[in-house]
């Protein structure tokens, strides 16, 4: 039997399996973190905008304005380059002011995907994902589809957690909540993972497994280094896909 408690003050629904818990150097934490259930509007979804802020300084997922990460990877039989930049501006999504992050994926020197992602940090230090505006581009740079776009508070979509305040083994959380369109989930599998990429290395990285019910045959690991953020992702089920951090700067 699972006990479920809705924490309206923080926008978290915390579910703890009996006899299961996780700990880390940051202290104990519930084994499962999920956003509130999908509802029709921001007025009824149980999230208080005043407990969020547009300064994201979680050490595992820092987003200072002007920061930039560059990744090199392989996907779909081709090498790619991914540039992630925190813009010097914010926007309001679902009543919450969010940091705006630009993400450009390039192949063979041409941008193939252009995305604006929206993040905010709750009072407890967890980083929340409030949606994205994304477009797949043609070789001529024209948008051929933006079907992956969604905003929390619109059409029943709810925000999700991308990084808990204190990652602990066993924590599981929904990263986005838009039924049929965006349903990524993650689980912390290690807080002492060893990772080495061109721009960073650590023997105490946070490692997660990520999946989506929309792509049941795909699974990937992601690695996060304290003070840097995400440094590596690698699919271990499904099509070959990898990314590794080659350079970064934190403003």
């Amino acid at each position: 039997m699972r006990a479920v408690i809705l924490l309206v003050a923080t926008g978290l629904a915390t579910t703890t399996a009996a006899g299961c818990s996780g700990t880390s150097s940051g202290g104990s934490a519930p084994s499962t973190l999920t956003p509130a259930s999908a509802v029709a509007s921001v007025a009824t979804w149980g999230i208080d905008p005043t407990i969020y802020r547009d300064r994201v300084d979680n050490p595992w997922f820092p987003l200072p304005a002007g920061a930039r990460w560059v990744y090199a990877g392989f996907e779909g039989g081709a090498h790619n380059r991914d540039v992630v930049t925190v813009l010097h501006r914010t926007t309001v999504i679902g009543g919450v002011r969010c940091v705006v992050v630009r993400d450009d994926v390039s192949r063979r020197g041409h941008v193939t995907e252009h995305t604006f992602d929206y993040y905010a940090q709750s009072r407890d230090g967890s980083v929340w994902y409030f949606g994205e505006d994304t477009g797949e581009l043609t070789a001529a740079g024209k948008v051929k589809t933006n079907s992956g776009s969604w905003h929390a508070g619109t059409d029943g979509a709810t925000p999700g957690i991308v990084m808990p305040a204190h990652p602990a083994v066993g924590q599981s959380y929904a990263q986005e909540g838009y039924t049929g369109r965006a349903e990524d989930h993650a689980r912390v599998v290690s807080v002492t993972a060893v990772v080495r990429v061109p721009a960073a290395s650590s023997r105490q990285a946070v490692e997660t497994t990520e999946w989506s019910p929309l792509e049941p045959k795909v699974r990937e690991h992601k690695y996060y280094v304290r003070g840097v953020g995400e440094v590596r992702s690698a699919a271990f089920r499904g099509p070959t896909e990898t990314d590794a951090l080659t350079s970064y700067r934190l403003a």
Side-chain angles (χ1 to χ4, degrees):
M1 178 178 292
R2 295 178 179 268
V4 181
I5 305 172
L6 179 62
L7 303 180
V8 176
T10 63
L12 290 174
T14 302
T15 308
T16 305
C20 179
S21 63
T23 60
S24 70
S25 59
S28 62
S31 62
T32 304
L33 300 175
T34 61
S37 300
V39 290
S41 70
V42 68
T44 61
W45 69 8
I47 288 181
D48 177 3
T50 65
I51 64 94
Y52 294 93
R53 60 178 183 173
D54 57 5
R55 179 184 175 186
V56 177
D57 56 9
N58 181 309
W60 301 103
F61 203 91
L63 297 176
R68 183 175 183 264
W69 298 262
V70 179
Y71 302 86
F74 186 83
E75 179 183 1
H79 293 281
N80 59 45
R81 183 173 186 263
D82 189 1
V83 180
V84 178
T85 307
V86 183
L87 303 185
H88 289 270
R89 66 182 179 90
T90 60
T91 192
V92 176
I93 303 293
V96 173
R97 185 161 295 280
C98 299
V99 173
V100 181
V101 176
R102 176 171 175 159
D103 188 342
D104 291 318
V105 178
S106 301
R107 292 188 181 88
R108 301 182 179 91
H110 299 285
V111 176
T112 58
E113 185 175 344
H114 173 62
T115 304
F116 291 109
D117 294 303
Y118 309 115
Y119 300 93
Q121 186 167 299
S122 57
R123 187 178 296 154
D124 74 336
S126 298
V127 183
W128 289 73
Y129 188 38
F130 276 77
E132 62 183 300
D133 286 304
T134 186
E136 293 183 23
L137 308 180
T138 66
K142 294 184 178 180
V143 176
K144 60 182 178 181
T145 178
N146 58 4
S147 61
S149 300
W150 65 280
H151 290 177
T154 301
D155 195 26
T158 58
I161 298 168
V162 293
M163 181 56 65
H166 304 290
V169 174
Q171 283 180 330
S172 181
Y173 41 95
Q175 297 179 308
E176 48 192 12
Y178 189 17
T179 303
R181 298 279 292 276
E183 299 183 35
D184 287 358
H185 292 72
R187 177 181 294 275
V188 178
V189 296
S190 177
V191 294
T192 55
V194 176
V195 64
R196 185 182 299 275
V197 296
S201 63
S202 177
R203 299 182 65 85
Q204 293 184 313
V206 169
E207 179 185 358
T208 64
T209 294
E210 300 193 4
W211 71 94
S212 170
L214 304 180
E215 297 179 292
K217 296 183 179 181
V218 177
R219 294 285 190 279
E220 69 175 342
H221 288 306
K222 287 190 177 181
Y223 300 83
Y224 301 84
V225 171
R226 188 179 183 89
V228 179
E230 183 182 332
V231 301
R232 185 173 186 267
S233 65
F236 64 91
R237 185 184 302 173
T240 300
E241 183 176 346
T242 64
D243 275 299
L245 184 67
T246 58
S247 67
Y248 72 95
R249 69 165 188 260
L250 297 181

